[in-house]
Amino acid sequence: MRKYETIFILHPSFEEEAVKAAIEKFKGVIENGGGTVDNVDFWGKRKLAYEINKVNEGYYTLVNFSSNPELPKELDRIFRITDGVIRHIIIKEEK
């Protein structure tokens, strides 16, 4: 098991329930893929550093998790096909 962290930004037009549902969806992908979610840190709506597709703000969420090396590839695929995810990044934590 390796430790990873991911940050994703959701579109600001999402309602509060939709944001919570998206976070639960991504947690479910990690847990169903054999990983464990260590921490979920919801930062709320923040201004983006630069405009992306005419959007200036979004809902930021940081998730720390442990998993096998194949799970981040699947999580990346899920982020790419999910509507409303503006940006995402998955990083392997160094020891």
Side-chain angles (χ1 to χ4, degrees), residues 1 27-38 65-68 71:
M1 297 285 263
K27 281 175 52 180
V29 169
I30 293 167
E31 291 167 351
N32 293 335
T36 58
V37 176
D38 301 328
F65 65 98
S66 302
S67 73
N68 57 14
L71 183 64

Side-chain angles (χ1 to χ4, degrees), residues 26-82:
F26 299 133
K27 281 175 52 180
V29 169
I30 293 167
E31 291 167 351
N32 293 335
T36 58
V37 176
D38 301 328
N39 183 36
V40 177
D41 192 10
F42 179 65
W43 296 352
K45 189 184 259 189
R46 299 209 173 180
K47 188 164 175 52
L48 300 176
Y50 55 90
E51 188 175 283
I52 302 171
N53 296 331
K54 300 182 182 178
V55 175
N56 292 320
E57 57 187 10
Y59 292 101
Y60 283 70
T61 306
L62 168 71
V63 179
N64 298 89
F65 65 98
S66 302
S67 73
N68 57 14
E70 292 79 33
L71 183 64
K73 295 173 191 163
E74 175 64 14
L75 186 59
D76 182 58
R77 186 185 74 79
I78 300 290
F79 279 139
R80 289 178 191 275
I81 64 173
T82 302

